[in-house]
Amino acid sequence: MGGMARSELGAYLTARRAAVTPAEVNLPATGYRRVPGLRREEVALLAGVSADYYVRLEQGRERTPSAQVLDALAAALRLDEDGRLHLFRLAGLGPRARAAAVPDRIDPSLLALMDAWPHNPAIVYNRAYDVLASNAIADALFHGWTHSHNLMHVVFTDPAARAFYRDWHDVARNSVAGFRLGHGAAPDDPRVRKVLTELLDSCPEFAELWARHDARGKALERKRFEHREVGPLTLTMQTFDVRSAPGQELVVYHAEPASPSSQALALLGSLAATTLRES
């Protein structure tokens, strides 16, 4: 395990330790505490390792934690499955993506399927959050991608993002957590590294969220938009791995039937169809 991975592992353990309160793991919160979450010796106690060993892990002086130790740490730090996978990857025990970058080519049958959903915005993006494909109604939802075809840039560098995403802070936090999970899977992917460097250099809010070391994939969730042509939309999104192209993900949005959002989405679909006919 290289120096960068050791540093990332220690930083991740430190960040996760700070996010767990004593009450969450049934420990007494007595006395003065210099840290917001658990103390190092408390994590060591919960994981069944020595405090000195755990300190060496956080400081990067211990290079080869076993799978058993990582399992115990994941339990002690209350990591979910994504967090546990990220921990194992950082320790060199989890599967890493092949060195090849995620292909930009989209399977033609997937494109045909997306185009068959005129009422469901659908996009495919890679680990760098570059949108590789989108159907017509998704193009309409995201205003024709006039700012960028990269979702991280849309969230963090588009001046209109805070109005478009009605829960911008939640979207920003979840986007960074998903981006970090992808980065952990392929830290040497040149496009991922380029987007990361750009955002760290240009966006303090991204840098602050990146320092939290949250690692979490997208799951079933709702997003609230304020579209400048059809008004407010609350959409549920489902995320799927594209098995034919590891590293690509398909996101499909839908609205509750007979809801105001469903009506707004139907209007958006009409606008998208009109744009297609005129192009």
Side-chain angles (χ1 to χ4, degrees), residues 182-240:
H183 176 269
D188 296 323
D189 184 302
R191 178 58 184 162
V192 172
R193 296 181 70 170
K194 184 175 188 295
V195 173
L196 175 60
T197 300
E198 290 171 350
L199 292 171
L200 286 174
D201 289 345
S202 65
C203 186
E205 288 168 306
F206 173 87
E208 181 180 344
L209 289 170
W210 185 253
R212 290 168 54 100
H213 287 266
D214 292 336
R216 181 176 58 257
K218 288 184 180 296
L220 174 65
E221 62 178 277
R222 290 180 177 236
K223 278 190 176 177
R224 301 195 310 151
F225 302 92
E226 185 67 37
H227 196 276
R228 61 174 175 248
E229 294 180 287
V230 301
L233 290 149
T234 298
L235 302 179
T236 299
M237 54 180 286
Q238 296 271 8
T239 304
F240 308 90

Side-chain angles (χ1 to χ4, degrees), residues 51-64:
D52 178 67
Y53 179 82
Y54 181 75
V55 169
R56 295 201 307 272
L57 279 175
E58 280 203 4
Q59 293 178 345
R61 294 185 289 120
E62 171 55 52
R63 306 185 180 194
T64 56

Side-chain angles (χ1 to χ4, degrees), residues 12-13 16-17 20 38 43 54 72-79 87:
Y12 185 59
L13 289 172
R16 293 304 91 207
R17 174 167 61 87
V20 181
L38 298 178
V43 176
Y54 181 75
L73 288 172
L77 296 171
R78 301 174 64 86
L79 300 182
L87 176 67

Side-chain angles (χ1 to χ4, degrees), residues 243-276:
R243 297 293 296 274
S244 61
Q248 292 182 6
E249 289 190 334
L250 166 68
V251 176
V252 184
Y253 296 88
H254 72 276
E256 286 291 326
S259 66
S261 292
S262 178
Q263 296 169 11
L265 197 58
L267 175 58
L268 191 64
S270 297
L271 294 174
T274 299
T275 301
L276 277 178

